[in-house]
Amino acid sequence: MAAAAAAAGAPSAAAAAAAAPAAHQDSMNALRSAALRRSAPHWATAAAAASSFFSPPFRPRRCRCHRAPAPPAAARTARSRADAKARAKLLMQAEPRDPWLASLSLLPAEDSAAADAAPTGWAIGVDPDTSGAVAVLSPDGSSQVFDNPFVHIVVSEVIRKRLDTKSIIQLLRGLDAPPGTTAYIEKSSPFPTDGKLGWWSTGFSYGLWIASLVASGFSVVPVASQTWKAYFGLSRSESPKDDSRQAASILFPDKAVSLKLKKHHGRAEALLLAAYGKGLMLPSGKFSRT
């Protein structure tokens, strides 16, 4: 009986031993499934955040406006010329009201006698740099050009050139041009690579020449370098200083000897500024830009 009972209990023990790992495995699978279900929303949230981070902040919108067709080239040219004339007219009307431009002359606009006494046929051109010059054109077509007087000073242990104020006043007083003559001076336009000292020197020379001309009784008209260079066809030149000397030699052949060196570009620019103010133009076919 005992042996039979032992034999009968052996299969039941073996079955229980075999069922125990299966039950343990089922419980582990259930726990794993529950953990995955709980973590699924977190993964979804992280994926949504990543997609929103890498997606563009906005969607491009299509322009539904109907654009008018572009006008023909001839119409655009005529319109641009008309706009340029309108802007020039506005500038001419605004210049007399500009207090700074009005201060560049000792001849008040309301004084008719002084305005009638203003000389005609005279013009002065000034390149205000230390390497520049001043030129005078008379009504009979003769011309004079003088280098800017300067002195040497020491700045930060470096010898530099500065304009000589006293000599400039003496030079202007000795000119044949009568008081009221218009002086065309090139506007100060320092280059970004000039540095602080270069910018200071350029502005100092420009202001000194304006003050000296006004104090000497001349009317001053600032002219941008792009303006007078475009007038003579010198814009976008590869060697503007050489072209300036060539153009000045053509307009003033008697000054060709004094313009033959590269360092004489200041004389050439002063002559061209005076010629611009007087309305002189280069003969066609004689000037070839380099």
Side-chain angles (χ1 to χ4, degrees), residues 30-243:
L31 292 174
R32 187 180 297 110
S33 300
L36 290 176
R37 284 195 301 271
R38 287 195 300 270
S39 60
H42 300 284
W43 284 105
T45 305
S51 62
S52 63
F53 177 79
F54 289 104
S55 62
F58 59 89
R59 294 182 179 179
R61 297 181 179 179
R62 296 182 180 180
C63 180
R64 297 182 180 180
C65 57
H66 299 282
R67 297 181 179 178
R76 291 198 302 269
T77 304
R79 184 175 180 180
S80 61
R81 290 177 179 175
D83 293 342
K85 290 182 179 180
R87 288 195 299 270
K89 185 178 180 180
L90 290 175
L91 290 175
M92 291 179 63
Q93 294 175 354
E95 282 184 357
R97 298 193 299 267
D98 192 324
W100 184 74
L101 292 178
S103 69
L104 301 185
S105 173
L106 288 179
L107 298 176
E110 62 273 6
D111 190 348
S112 58
D116 295 338
T120 57
W122 290 88
I124 298 176
V126 179
D127 181 5
D129 295 336
T130 53
S131 58
V134 53
V136 182
L137 303 185
S138 61
D140 59 359
S142 61
S143 60
Q144 295 175 302
V145 60
F146 307 93
D147 293 331
N148 289 346
F150 60 87
V151 295
H152 289 96
I153 63 173
V154 178
V155 179
S156 300
E157 300 181 356
V158 178
I159 298 178
R160 299 183 180 274
K161 295 191 296 184
R162 291 289 184 267
L163 293 178
D164 187 351
T165 307
K166 181 179 179 180
S167 299
I168 288 178
I169 296 297
Q170 293 175 352
L171 174 62
L172 293 176
R173 289 178 178 177
L175 296 180
D176 296 333
T181 302
T182 303
Y184 299 87
I185 184 172
E186 187 179 52
K187 282 186 178 180
S188 173
S189 55
F191 294 97
T193 56
D194 289 346
K196 294 181 180 180
L197 290 177
W199 282 56
W200 185 91
S201 177
T202 303
F204 173 81
S205 302
Y206 181 61
L208 177 60
W209 262 111
I210 288 180
S212 301
L213 288 166
V214 174
S216 301
F218 301 114
S219 300
V220 181
V221 175
V223 182
S225 60
Q226 297 86 347
T227 302
W228 69 265
K229 287 181 180 179
Y231 178 81
F232 292 110
L234 303 177
S235 301
R236 302 182 182 276
S237 173
E238 295 182 359
S239 55
K241 299 185 184 301
D242 294 340
D243 288 343

